[in-house]
Amino acid sequence: MKGPLGFGMDDLLQETLQLQRKLADGLKLLPGMEDVDYGVTERQPVWSDGKVTLYRFVGTGAPSGQPPLLIVYALVNRPYMVDLQDGRSLVQKLLAAGQDVYVLDWGYPDRSERFLTLEDYLLRYLDGAVDHLHAQHGGAPNLLGICQGGVFSLCYAALRPHKVRNLVTMVTPVDFHTPDNMLSHWARHVDVDLFVDTLGNVPADLMNASYLMLKPFRLNVQKYVGLVDILDDRQALEDFLRMEKWIFDSPDLAGEAFREFVKQFYQANGLMHGGIRIGAEVVDLENLRMPVLNIYAEQDHLVPPAASRALRGRTGSDDYTELGFRGGHIGIYVSARAQREVPSAIHGWLSERP
């Protein structure tokens, strides 16, 4: 007999027995689980400066001869979300399509990098990697900037437009003051000078806690409750653990670069109002005269779609394309739908602009 809530004692009993079975299976499965890792594609270091390394991904076939594609990721996470595992890899799909793919790995800053600035990251490290690719391939590379790496790519391409052939940005904030940007609301009220002067480098655990609190129930409770449902599924459990490892394998952030980024982008909203300075140089998005592809995730809670779409009309390019895909900030790289749609869209767009 069903109760007023739509279930009865028999339903509760079956649910309890099923839970017990899953827990028992999990106790057998978990001790035998090996450590999981991410980054499925072979890669080779081709250039470095300090802790920063440029890697070239090795595909099974020869590149098609298009300009190389340099992926620029954010500082706060490792860049291998774009190459998470077999079958869930943006890099794999791009290589299979004939792209020659590189990634810039920022490394793990320690106290010796406390005073690195945005000028160091953009006009020393990123510029050095671009110069290496130019020398090796005989021309300017394409840039694919992701999240904060997209902001870096916008600024770099505006400062050195002759060094970038085509620019692709993914889940990249341009307007940091959209009403639905919770992270920005927090950052605008931080005394960042006191913060950095006290801490030096910004601890990765502190940044991760901030991101998790954007969706506290979903990211701190619900996903671990849901873990019970997959305790008897080795593949699903490996996928879960791989994602958890990536999330919590985060570098600390160089203090001065963090200070500059929060002040100029989150607090001053400089890409919208002007005045972004990288060292002695001022960023002007009107200098972006190369073709631009701007990709956003329609369910992104970290970079709301409106924050990305604000790029329209602010570049100097007469070749601007904007594409939205279903998914969140991470799902746009690894979901089954994204794997079908996003790499082919990037490759198709680049192939039309050799």
Side-chain angles (χ1 to χ4, degrees):
M1 179 179 178
K2 302 291 186 182
L5 297 179
F7 59 85
M9 293 302 297
D10 288 343
D11 299 310
L12 289 175
L13 177 60
Q14 290 302 315
E15 183 74 18
T16 301
L17 291 173
Q18 183 182 20
L19 176 60
Q20 289 178 337
R21 284 194 297 269
K22 284 185 175 290
L23 290 174
D25 290 340
L27 288 174
K28 296 176 184 176
L29 184 58
L30 283 170
M33 294 283 293
E34 297 181 359
D35 189 20
V36 295
D37 206 353
Y38 47 79
V40 63
T41 307
E42 181 185 351
R43 61 186 188 274
Q44 298 173 342
V46 295
W47 173 89
S48 65
D49 183 351
K51 291 186 175 67
V52 178
T53 304
L54 176 66
Y55 289 96
R56 185 181 193 179
F57 289 104
V58 180
T60 56
S64 63
Q66 294 186 42
L69 177 63
L70 172 57
I71 297 176
V72 184
Y73 207 74
L75 299 177
V76 72
N77 283 115
R78 304 292 290 149
Y80 301 114
M81 179 49 61
V82 296
D83 187 40
L84 187 64
Q85 66 189 76
D86 189 28
R88 299 171 73 189
S89 169
L90 176 67
V91 168
Q92 253 186 355
K93 297 285 188 179
L94 290 172
L95 288 173
Q99 294 291 328
D100 194 359
V101 186
Y102 293 76
V103 67
L104 194 59
D105 186 338
W106 303 114
Y108 293 87
D110 59 26
R111 284 183 295 177
S112 68
E113 280 88 28
R114 156 74 171 78
F115 293 101
L116 287 178
T117 64
L118 294 181
E119 182 180 16
D120 291 312
Y121 280 105
L122 271 66
L123 300 184
R124 174 183 167 185
Y125 299 132
L126 178 52
D127 193 46
V130 168
D131 283 347
H132 173 83
L133 292 177
H134 193 287
Q136 292 297 309
H137 293 271
N142 298 319
L143 283 192
L144 168 55
I146 296 173
C147 191
Q148 184 190 41
V151 177
F152 285 0
S153 298
L154 286 171
C155 293
Y156 177 78
L159 294 174
R160 302 289 185 269
H162 60 289
K163 292 188 175 184
V164 178
R165 189 172 187 87
N166 298 295
L167 175 62
V168 183
T169 55
M170 286 184 70
V171 293
T172 295
V174 175
D175 184 353
F176 283 76
H177 287 184
T178 56
D180 52 355
N181 193 330
M182 185 180 296
L183 187 61
S184 173
H185 283 293
W186 291 353
R188 276 181 262 171
H189 300 287
V190 169
D191 185 340
V192 70
D193 288 324
L194 178 61
F195 192 80
V196 172
D197 291 344
T198 301
L199 294 176
N201 286 346
V202 181
D205 288 345
L206 180 57
M207 293 302 299
N208 274 331
S210 300
Y211 295 132
L212 293 175
M213 290 309 296
L214 293 172
K215 286 188 173 183
F217 180 76
R218 171 70 184 88
L219 299 179
N220 292 285
V221 178
Q222 186 178 352
K223 74 172 179 178
Y224 296 113
V225 172
L227 176 60
V228 175
D229 291 332
I230 61 172
L231 281 177
D232 56 349
D233 184 335
R234 176 180 287 272
Q235 184 60 56
L237 194 55
E238 286 181 353
D239 293 347
F240 179 89
L241 293 175
R242 183 176 290 107
M243 183 66 74
E244 288 293 282
K245 182 172 182 176
W246 176 81
I247 289 171
F248 292 103
D249 179 18
S250 299
D252 294 342
L253 301 180
E256 286 306 308
F258 179 84
R259 187 200 310 264
E260 291 180 0
F261 195 83
V262 170
K263 281 188 169 184
Q264 296 200 76
F265 295 93
Y266 277 107
Q267 295 182 345
N269 205 13
L271 287 179
M272 296 295 289
H273 304 310
I276 294 289
R277 301 188 70 88
I278 306 298
E281 301 184 52
V282 178
V283 172
D284 183 355
L285 295 182
E286 281 288 329
N287 290 332
L288 297 173
R289 302 190 182 279
M290 72 288 295
V292 177
L293 171 62
N294 186 24
I295 295 173
Y296 63 91
E298 294 173 352
Q299 286 76 41
D300 195 333
H301 73 289
L302 281 175
V303 181
S308 292
R309 292 197 302 262
L311 184 59
R312 178 182 290 275
R314 296 188 176 276
T315 76
S317 176
D318 57 4
D319 184 356
Y320 175 87
T321 306
E322 191 173 274
L323 297 175
F325 294 93
R326 288 191 59 79
H329 195 73
I330 301 302
I332 196 172
Y333 318 120
V334 299
S335 72
R337 178 193 293 268
Q339 287 293 297
R340 292 193 303 269
E341 298 176 351
V342 177
S344 60
I346 294 173
H347 172 69
W349 185 85
L350 289 172
S351 297
E352 295 172 357
R353 296 159 179 82

